[in-house]
Structure formats: structure tokens, C-alpha cells
Amino acid sequence: MADPSIPQARTSEAAPGPLDSPGASAREGISRRRLLGTAGATGLVLGAAGGAVGYSAAPSAATPLTSLGDGQVMFHGKHQPGITTPMQARGHLVAFDLAAGAGRKEAAALLRRWSDTARRLMAGEPAGAGDTDVARDAGPSSLTITFGFGHSFFGRTGLDEQRPAALDPLPDFSSDHLDKARSNGDLWVQIGADDALVAFHALRAIQKDAGAAARVRWQMNGFNRSPGATAHPMTARNLMGQVDGTRNPKPGDADFDERIFVPSSGAKDPAWMANGSYVVVRRIRMLLDDWEQLSVTDQEAVIGRRKSDGAPLSGGTETTEMDLEKTDEAGDLVVPINAHARISRPDQNGGAAMLRRPFSYHDGFDTDGVPDAGLLFICWQADPLRGFVPVQRKLDRGDALSRFIRHEASGLFAVPGGAAEGEYVGQRLLEG
């Protein structure tokens, strides 16, 4: 999971500003929120048993909105938010199925409601009438809400002729142990934010907006390192402890748009997908008990990179080009032939590349104490048959990491381009 099939947490080139914690000047002054919090901390709490009396725990000192809270991503634009947006600390993925009897008209009304709610919440405003006030004290916190359509959506809405060929079901892979109940879906929503309450608030608003038009099929929660948690911006680590996402495509790369987004004048994609992208979503469980029994040296051989700093085993720093031919004194390849970083490289897969933008997850422990944890793998590409599929096929045939992971859920969704002012997401499909 460390290198091209798994993305880095934040791309510094796309970040709106420094990720470090704000200076002392940002903490000066006492906000209304701080006064309220301090007052609340002095209240008495009566225990139910025997009328015991105790003091409530004092909250941590509140501060004015910092870069963590006031970060704002625009809803309207050429592309939907949440694709090239720097990774957020909290994420929710949720898929919906249209309700029985709901069709194109109901889907259009739903996307109109969802788009309006997303626009409001991403600006730090209430969701509208009936807002739950969960995020009332918070800023936008870099909230993004992204919408996509699954293969089954087009049959349900009578739009089969508008279904892209790129949305054909993914092939089976030997590492798949897929739960159909947690895979695919008519509609897909990705929510990301740098604050957990802001993210949950958006999730709840989207679910309420679905009303009678759609029901939740599955939902997954994820997390990443919070901005400012490290002394300087750096590539994130996954739950295996590996630096993860070193070779992720960057928006500044000359061929970035060609690899990630559908062209506005593409011949093979329907017109409504112009400036959109295709997202593959996989719930990949990490078999952490087995992984953690390996020595650091053995873990590095599986990945092909040093665990300490992400540098290739062939030497240098994290961004040094990997020397695939370098051998040790015994004549063995320094980067093993089945190392994950070697196999997943674009130059080992006909140039196939994708923008990986995942969240880690932890859903508790099995009855025998084994952690249910791993990666909500999310990758973006202009065509999954030229991005995810060839890389996964190559990994499926001999990746050393495959012994320590299990693909448990999967989905492929068409994510249209961004909505212009006055439009809702998917309008060109649903009203075209």
C-alpha cells in the first residue's frame, strides 16, 4: 500500500497554505466560544447514584478559528471538489440506491437538493431549514462533498444510452473477497473535512436530503493525519506505518489532466462527463497481526522502500528515482522483484497511473481480537481500464503485499464535472 496504488495524504502543491500550526498571534483574544466553554466548565453535575456531586471536566481552551477551521473549498468549478483537494483529516463514503418507483425526475430533484446543501455547507453556512446545528460553531474546515453515479443508476432512470463504457463492471481479481452489500450502488457521495463534527454534519444533512427518493446502501468512515500534526508538510503514513503516496501524480504534472480527467471534447465519453473523472473505491483490510510479526527489514522488502523515511531501498531520499537494476554484494536485486513499489510503478504497467486519495479506517475488533482496519482506497482516473485495472491485474499476479491485505468491498462510479453557477451536479445528464 505504500507507493503508487495508495495516495499521499496531502499534496503540498495543491495546499492553500502552510500546514503548520498557527503562531501565537492567532491565539490572542477571547472568543465568545471560549467564554461559553469556560462558563460551562464550572457547572456542577449531579450523579444519579446517591446524589453524588462532581465537577464536569473542563474543555481544552478554545481558540479563534485557525487555518484548520477557516479553510474553504469552492463548490462550483470546472471539476467537482474532493478530487484534487488536499486530503482531509476525516472522511465519509456513502452509497445510495434509488427507492422503488423513483426514476429520473426524482433523481434530478435529489441532486438539486444535494448540490444546494453541499454549496451551503462548504461555505460554512447552515444546511437550510431543519439544520441540526452540529457544526454551528465551526468554520468550513475544508469541507468537500463529491457526487457520482454507479452502473445501476442509468437503468433505474431510463438513461442507459448515456451510461459510459468506462463504467462497465470491474473484472474479478484473485485478492477479492467482496461483500456485495457493501459494494457498488446507484449513487455515491464522498465527504471530507478537517473537523470530525463538520464531516458528520454534512453526512447527516445528505442522508436527510435523500428523503423518500433514495436509501443508504452502505456507509464507511475514514481518517487521515490532521493538518499541522507534523512539524512540516509530509507524505502521510498508512496503518502499516509505511510512508504512503510518494509517487502520486501532481496537479502540476504536464499530463495530469490527461490521466485524471475526461476531456471536454472526448470522443468515447458522453458529453455530460466532460471534465469529470472515474473513481474506484475499495475497502482494503490490512492483516495487521500478520504484518506486525515481520521485522522492519522484511516489511521494507515487501514494499521496496525504507519504513523510516520512504526512500527506495536502492538509496537516496523519498523522492529519489528507484534503481530497479541495483544489486547487493550477493548479486540479488536490492528492490525485490515482487516488491509492491516496483510492481505498481507506471513504467511497469504501460504508463498506467491514477490519483490515489484514500482514508484509513478502523471498525473495531473481531471476536478474537483481530483489528478490522485498513484502507478506504479511492483512486481517480480518466479511464479505469487505463488506470486502476492494469495496475491491479499486475499486483494480483505477484505482489508481495497481497499476503497482508484483503479487498472486501468495491465500487466504480462516474463523477461528472463540476457544476457551474446556477447548476446542480449531474444536470447535464439528467436534463440533457
Side-chain angles (χ1 to χ4, degrees), residues 40-368:
T42 62
L44 295 176
V45 177
L46 296 178
V53 178
Y55 290 94
S56 63
S60 58
T63 61
L65 284 177
T66 66
S67 60
L68 189 68
D70 65 11
Q72 183 177 347
V73 181
M74 296 298 103
F75 173 73
H76 296 293
K78 182 178 181 180
H79 309 296
Q80 284 198 60
I83 301 175
T84 59
T85 308
M87 276 299 302
Q88 300 111 318
R90 298 287 178 171
H92 300 293
L93 307 180
V94 55
F96 293 82
D97 285 334
L98 291 173
R104 181 173 176 178
K105 178 181 177 181
E106 289 76 15
L110 174 56
L111 267 297
R112 190 180 295 111
R113 290 196 300 274
W114 274 353
S115 295
D116 184 61
T117 294
R119 178 187 59 78
R120 289 171 178 272
L121 294 181
M122 287 174 56
E125 301 170 1
D131 187 274
T132 61
D133 282 345
V134 170
R136 183 171 183 170
D137 327 83
S141 299
S142 299
L143 174 69
T144 60
I145 305 177
T146 316
F147 304 101
F149 304 109
H151 185 276
S152 56
F153 175 83
F154 297 85
R156 301 290 303 277
T157 55
L159 291 166
D160 295 89
E161 292 185 358
Q162 291 296 319
R163 181 169 55 219
L167 207 54
D168 287 350
L170 297 172
D172 295 330
F173 302 103
S174 64
S175 58
D176 286 353
H177 295 76
L178 303 182
D179 179 357
K180 292 184 179 180
R182 293 192 294 181
S183 299
N184 301 312
D186 293 341
L187 293 156
W188 175 76
V189 184
Q190 173 191 254
I191 296 167
D194 283 333
D195 179 77
L197 285 178
V198 168
F200 174 81
H201 180 234
L203 174 66
R204 182 66 176 134
I206 290 296
Q207 186 238 337
K208 288 172 64 179
D209 273 351
R215 57 180 178 81
V216 173
R217 178 181 177 89
W218 54 260
Q219 193 257 314
M220 302 174 187
N221 309 312
F223 58 90
N224 281 302
R225 176 172 280 160
S226 297
T230 55
H232 54 82
M234 61 179 292
T235 309
R237 293 183 185 272
N238 59 36
L239 298 189
M240 287 179 161
Q242 300 293 143
V243 173
D244 190 342
T246 299
R247 289 180 58 86
N248 218 19
K250 308 279 193 303
D253 295 345
D255 59 353
F256 181 84
D257 282 2
E258 177 185 342
R259 291 176 180 271
I260 307 306
F261 294 111
V262 174
S264 57
S265 58
K268 66 175 186 173
D269 289 279
W272 65 267
M273 271 298 291
N275 302 313
S277 188
Y278 294 94
V279 62
V280 175
V281 181
R282 309 276 279 184
R283 185 183 190 272
I284 303 176
R285 184 168 181 172
M286 296 176 174
L287 308 181
L288 294 178
D289 282 353
D290 295 336
W291 175 255
E292 291 163 4
Q293 289 179 9
L294 298 180
S295 67
V296 170
T297 299
D298 288 342
Q299 290 179 355
E300 292 177 338
V302 168
I303 301 300
R305 290 183 174 272
R306 291 200 300 256
K307 192 172 185 179
S308 60
D309 59 5
L313 296 183
S314 54
T317 65
E318 181 187 350
T319 56
T320 300
E321 187 66 24
M322 183 176 289
D323 184 350
L324 300 180
E325 305 303 322
K326 186 174 182 178
T327 57
D328 58 21
E329 295 178 355
D332 297 323
L333 289 169
V334 173
V335 180
I337 197 69
N338 62 347
H340 181 77
R342 172 192 285 270
I343 293 176
S344 57
R345 289 169 57 92
D347 58 13
Q348 302 295 301
N349 294 279
M354 50 199 156
L355 177 65
R356 291 98 48 214
R357 196 177 180 277
F359 292 95
S360 293
Y361 78 87
H362 177 225
D363 289 340
F365 299 87
D366 290 349
T367 54
D368 54 1

